[in-house]
Amino acid sequence: MKTAIIVSGGDAPGINAAIEAYARLAQEGGDQVVGAQDGFAGLLAGRLTELDRALLTRLSGAGGSILRSSREPVLGQSDAGDRLRAAMRAKEIDNLLVFGGDGSLKHVLPRLESWGAPCVALPTTIDNDVAGTDYTLGHDSACNYALWAADGIRATASALPGRIFMLETLGGHSGYLALAIAYANGADAVLLPEYDFDLDWLAGHLRLVVERAGYALVTLCEFVPGINSIVDEIPRRCGIRVRYTALGHAQRGADTSHYDRRVARDMSGLAWRALKDGLRLGTLVMRDGALSLREGQMPQADKPPPDYALYARINGL
Ligand code: F6P
């Protein structure tokens, strides 16, 4: 069996660990594995690289991806099916192992199925916003990175009281990542793109927190509506200085946590077994803490919004 590994869309911590685990299993089982550079665009262009096991082992805990990704929508082109089949035939590739987030899985899997290209997908994004799974690879590492930053902010916040601190996470238009971080870091308020909030309420709430605790820590998602005005408006409305930290892409490139390394290995093991058994299409999903292989397509609907009860509890609503 020969598998081509493709990273489609954004990278995430855990990809290198999963590639390493898959390559190890495959090679021990007498199979071949190659990696596509630049996602599906690279596969179509025949940009395949051998996987260097020593390098893989050394980088398996690093964030990012040793296989470059791409967001080019090449599979939407009219001749993409023929080109994909030809590229796989030319390199004698039997099946694909695909890493992807919500967009990739929704758009890529139906196409691969219709073209008869066997594939197992690993939901991979720090955002944890893929419908049909409770967990996506990389989320835990991104949360840990934010907790490290929040701990640093708290150290300086308590040493020099009288300020409001805002910690902006990635997450795109989904608040799953910011909510998970806010809960774990004991934030005084959390702002998510899915739920509207009132600036006067926020200013009043934070003033009370600062009076009681000396400082306030807000966790907010990058695409909260009106985010650019918050930094000016909060001091204007409550008379307390605001200090702002945006984690940005450093969060996405974070080192891989223990949990993500374990999930990566478990996912790779199940993926390799399934492809070996001749599965045509499947995705590794987490439900109630258990990992399993879901055969066929993933849901086309969006994941429901993050837990409102938790959001309300953190905000004292
Ligand atoms: O979807 C993963 C993610 O890191 C989001 O959290 C973020 O909004 C986006 O990708 C950033 O994308 P880009 O790398 O194109 O700036």
Side-chain angles (χ1 to χ4, degrees):
M1 175 172 92
K2 184 170 180 181
T3 303
I5 302 182
I6 297 124
V7 181
S8 174
D11 53 273
I15 290 180
N16 288 331
I19 296 175
E20 195 268 345
Y22 190 92
R24 183 185 292 225
L25 278 172
Q27 285 165 13
E28 285 169 3
D31 298 323
Q32 286 177 277
V33 191
V34 289
Q37 287 295 9
D38 313 310
F40 280 100
L43 177 65
L44 295 190
R47 278 196 297 282
L48 300 177
T49 61
E50 297 299 323
L51 297 173
D52 176 340
R53 276 287 301 283
L55 181 69
L56 269 179
T57 305
R58 188 162 63 75
L59 294 183
S60 66
S65 166
I66 58 150
L67 296 174
R68 287 189 308 268
S69 181
S70 158
R71 285 197 169 123
E72 252 188 90
V74 285
L75 297 189
Q77 294 165 0
S78 56
D79 60 349
D82 291 339
R83 289 177 63 206
L84 183 103
R85 277 192 292 258
M88 288 178 68
R89 242 191 337 267
K91 303 287 182 184
E92 299 181 318
I93 293 165
D94 300 303
N95 47 44
L96 309 175
L97 180 75
V98 174
F99 294 87
D102 192 49
S104 295
L105 299 191
K106 270 186 189 143
H107 300 121
V108 165
L109 298 190
R111 291 192 168 115
L112 295 180
E113 185 173 38
S114 71
W115 299 332
C119 165
V120 169
L122 272 58
T124 311
T125 163
I126 63 168
D127 301 346
N128 200 20
D129 62 345
V130 174
T133 182
D134 296 343
Y135 188 74
T136 56
L137 188 62
H139 178 70
D140 184 67
S141 306
C143 287
N144 280 351
Y145 181 83
L147 293 182
W148 164 80
D151 288 347
I153 290 170
R154 281 190 190 284
T156 182
S158 53
L160 179 57
R163 295 171 291 171
I164 293 167
F165 290 85
M166 301 213 167
L167 179 64
E168 181 194 303
T169 72
L170 288 184
H173 294 278
S174 161
Y176 273 88
L177 180 63
L179 184 62
I181 292 163
Y183 180 53
N185 78 27
D188 301 298
V190 60
L191 307 178
L192 308 179
E194 291 89 345
Y195 302 121
D196 290 338
F197 67 96
D198 178 72
L199 269 174
D200 283 327
W201 160 78
L202 183 63
H205 173 67
L206 295 178
R207 187 175 45 234
L208 289 178
V209 174
V210 172
E211 280 166 13
R212 191 189 67 236
Y215 69 93
L217 177 56
V218 182
T219 300
L220 73 169
C221 175
E222 58 177 339
F223 284 120
V224 165
I227 195 165
N228 294 329
S229 65
I230 293 177
V231 180
D232 294 329
E233 281 301 315
I234 293 298
R236 206 171 64 75
R237 294 178 195 221
C238 71
I240 301 173
R241 281 183 299 162
V242 167
R243 293 291 181 257
Y244 200 91
T245 303
L247 296 176
H249 288 70
Q251 182 178 26
R252 195 167 88 194
D255 286 344
T256 311
S257 67
H258 169 267
Y259 182 72
D260 276 330
R261 292 184 202 205
R262 191 157 69 79
V263 171
R265 285 196 182 278
D266 290 347
M267 283 183 166
S268 286
L270 289 170
W272 177 69
R273 191 71 264 161
L275 289 171
K276 202 79 181 148
D277 290 345
L279 183 82
R280 308 297 297 174
L281 185 73
T283 302
L284 272 307
V285 297
M286 187 85 78
R287 283 292 190 199
D288 301 322
L291 194 62
S292 64
L293 190 105
R294 174 190 164 118
E295 293 193 26
Q297 298 295 337
M298 289 291 273
Q300 284 294 317
D302 288 341
K303 194 165 179 171
D307 182 358
Y308 182 79
L310 181 58
Y311 166 83
R313 179 143 63 94
I314 293 170
N315 285 324
L317 299 173

